[in-house]
Amino acid sequence: MGRYGRFVILIFLLGLSACASVPKPAPVESALHYLPEPGVSLLAKYAPVFWVEKYQVDYNRIGEVKAKTPQKIWIDPDSPILYAEQRSFSTSKGEYTNLIYRVHFQKIPSGLSPFYLGAGKNVGLLLIVTLNKNQQPLLFTTMHTCGCYLAFLPTSFLPPQNLPKGWKSDRQEIYGESLPTFLDYADNAPRTKRLQIRLRPETHRVMDLWLAAADSQPQPSALIPLRPLSSLQQLPLKEGQTTSFYEQSGNRKGYVKGSYKNYERLLMSWWALAWKIGQDKYLGQNKNDGPIFYTSLKPWARNASDVRDYARFLRYWGWDL
């Protein structure tokens, strides 16, 4: 191995160690609490509450996706939006509903201290709430809009036999973050409780999840309205024109405009065999819609771990729905 190869591997290992060494979280009371606007739809009733720390810094706050020109996209942190869409899927065991929520941030900052492997602009986070035929939440799934940092969180409505083999009952480690492995709707009334998601500043990683009374409104708080996920493809421009959040042609078709992860490309693309690794993208409704949304770095598991085919995606990760 040449000197350059050893240098790249050394930098890669240093990057991983920097990402794994996360700072101790601040008290949750210091976080900005984004409360979804009330509504009667399923999307409104199950919309999560986001807790954002160090919210005085623009790139830590959830924002609205806006366009200055067809190619210049920015995230406005003074106008938070929760983009949402309802979809359905089926397996041999039944019919299910997915409630998909998407938020975006200006960036993950770049620099050497601290060093963030996922540094880049227009980054985002997805939450998928899977409901059974009785509209009860079985499973919460979170991931960044590049498909990374995937985490699953089952609820007390999911039968134990549907869990992956060996599923633990205490905590799970997701690339340096410690998350619960189970949420209990003890009163069997899911609409009286709302999922709470605590985000780490700068990286926007999910650092905790829990349930709380749906009508609780701690301070400081801000209302976050719901907007259709499809509106990201019709961002208003001047003179009544619109543009998409996603590239519409070329080899980056379906990827978020301005989303480049240079560190990940340098340190990971060559061994993961993925030149656009870490780049945020559109989540298609099926395998003929948009770029592959893989959640495993194994090249041979790209199709099986593709979120666009949700039934197969769940099977790949061991969920027996």
Side-chain angles (χ1 to χ4, degrees), residues 141 143 146-148 150 152 281 283 287 292-318:
T141 306
M143 70 193 82
C146 56
C148 52
L150 174 68
F152 295 101
K281 52 196 167 186
L283 175 57
K287 288 206 168 187
I292 185 170
F293 209 102
Y294 61 87
T295 52
S296 171
L297 285 177
K298 300 173 182 177
W300 57 88
R302 298 277 158 82
N303 288 324
S305 68
D306 186 351
V307 184
R308 296 175 303 170
D309 184 346
Y310 212 76
R312 187 181 183 188
F313 159 78
L314 288 177
R315 288 197 304 272
Y316 173 78
W317 290 107

Side-chain angles (χ1 to χ4, degrees), residues 103-287:
V103 292
H104 276 274
F105 307 85
Q106 286 185 346
K107 65 180 180 179
I108 294 174
S110 61
L112 295 179
S113 183
F115 174 81
Y116 297 127
L117 191 64
K121 295 182 179 180
N122 300 339
V123 296
L125 178 73
L126 283 166
L127 164 70
I128 300 176
V129 182
T130 300
L131 309 177
N132 61 17
K133 63 180 181 180
N134 298 319
Q135 298 182 352
Q136 297 167 321
L138 302 177
L139 185 66
F140 296 112
T141 306
T142 67
M143 70 193 82
H144 286 207
T145 51
C146 56
C148 52
Y149 300 122
L150 174 68
F152 295 101
L153 185 54
T155 79
S156 49
F157 290 110
L158 184 67
Q161 62 267 28
N162 297 144
L163 295 169
K165 293 181 180 179
W167 188 255
K168 299 179 180 179
S169 59
D170 45 8
R171 306 286 292 184
Q172 55 178 317
E173 294 296 321
I174 307 295
Y175 296 100
E177 298 290 357
S178 177
L179 303 179
T181 58
F182 178 78
L183 287 182
D184 187 9
Y185 284 97
D187 55 6
N188 289 328
R191 294 181 183 179
T192 66
K193 295 180 179 179
R194 195 178 289 272
L195 180 67
Q196 316 286 311
I197 303 178
R198 187 180 184 187
L199 301 180
R200 186 172 293 283
E202 300 185 334
T203 62
H204 318 300
R205 293 282 310 279
V206 174
M207 56 192 295
D208 202 3
L209 303 105
W210 70 97
L211 297 171
D215 58 355
S216 62
Q217 297 187 36
Q219 297 294 326
S221 64
L223 287 178
I224 182 169
L226 269 70
R227 186 173 295 177
L229 198 59
S230 59
S231 66
L232 288 172
Q233 299 184 70
Q234 297 178 325
L235 304 177
L237 292 168
K238 295 180 179 179
E239 301 177 353
Q241 297 180 325
T242 63
T243 190
S244 177
F245 186 37
Y246 314 103
E247 297 285 2
Q248 296 299 291
S249 62
N251 65 1
R252 293 195 74 251
K253 183 178 180 180
Y255 285 81
V256 170
K257 294 174 180 176
S259 170
Y260 297 95
K261 303 293 180 63
N262 294 329
Y263 294 150
E264 291 194 50
R265 173 173 287 181
L266 173 65
L267 301 174
M268 297 179 66
S269 64
W270 50 278
W271 60 264
L273 304 180
W275 181 243
K276 293 189 284 291
I277 190 169
Q279 296 183 22
D280 301 81
K281 52 196 167 186
Y282 166 69
L283 175 57
Q285 299 198 31
N286 55 59
K287 288 206 168 187

Side-chain angles (χ1 to χ4, degrees), residues 38-52:
V40 297
S41 68
L42 280 176
L43 286 168
K45 291 177 180 177
Y46 285 107
V49 174
F50 291 97
W51 297 77
V52 174

Side-chain angles (χ1 to χ4, degrees), residues 29-38 47-52 55 60-63 76-82 103 194 196 214 216-226:
E29 293 80 8
S30 66
L32 175 63
H33 156 271
Y34 286 98
L35 182 69
E37 286 187 341
V49 174
F50 291 97
W51 297 77
V52 174
Y55 59 89
N60 284 332
R61 298 200 303 277
I62 295 170
D76 182 358
D78 295 325
S79 178
I81 295 292
L82 179 56
V103 292
R194 195 178 289 272
Q196 316 286 311
S216 62
Q217 297 187 36
Q219 297 294 326
S221 64
L223 287 178
I224 182 169
L226 269 70

